Amino acid sequence: MIHNANGHLAISSITERRYLTVKGDGISTLKILISENDTSRFRKEKIFNKCRDELEMVIEKDKECQPIAIGNWDYGATYIEKIEIVNKGIIEKFENINNAISLFNYARYDIKCKTFDDFIAGKMKILEINGVKGEPIHIYDRKFTLLEAYKEIFRHWEFIMKISKRNLSNGINCPNALEGFKMLFRHYRIKKNALKNKIVK
């Protein structure tokens, strides 16, 4: 998450998303391994649907298998906070990106890269940019308790409030309740149509 609540850009969280991976034992099928995996067993039906042709395959002992390449919580992805890697160079890179876009005071960038060294070097693809609706996904790291996760959400809401107050004091018009509802309805309609027309490979 990046934000500009105090007059300068700051990075409040960086999170690595790892695809679901299971390790074979030479006996169990992929279906069993997914069912017994801590991060996927409660989402197994969705995952089974994505890799139905390989479910009865027995995975070799100690071989790691990545059944699907979807970095999403609903498909067994693991989230790991990496705030410790933030440095001046990374902040400068995102300042340059933000200046080029000239749009965001608060955002979550969803980025794909091969390694963290590539990320630090700026060798990455921006897959998506989320605004204030994008939650800080580091809260899904297992080290966070439920209470700590809520604290992180409230902390980021505070950033949003500071940005909103600053924008209002700078004369930016705020939509009224009816205009806000219309904007929200238009957003959901566009999102629904986009998902309906999306081709899933």
Side-chain angles (χ1 to χ4, degrees), residues 83-102:
I83 190 64
E84 68 275 4
I85 73 168
V86 174
N87 58 33
K88 185 177 179 181
I90 291 175
I91 293 174
E92 287 178 352
K93 284 182 176 65
F94 279 96
E95 282 180 334
N96 293 334
I97 293 171
N98 263 24
N99 290 335
I101 297 173
S102 188

Side-chain angles (χ1 to χ4, degrees), residues 154-166:
F154 294 149
R155 182 169 73 98
H156 284 78
W157 282 359
E158 184 179 0
F159 297 149
I160 296 168
M161 289 297 296
K162 287 180 178 179
I163 293 167
S164 298
K165 288 180 178 179
R166 185 185 66 208

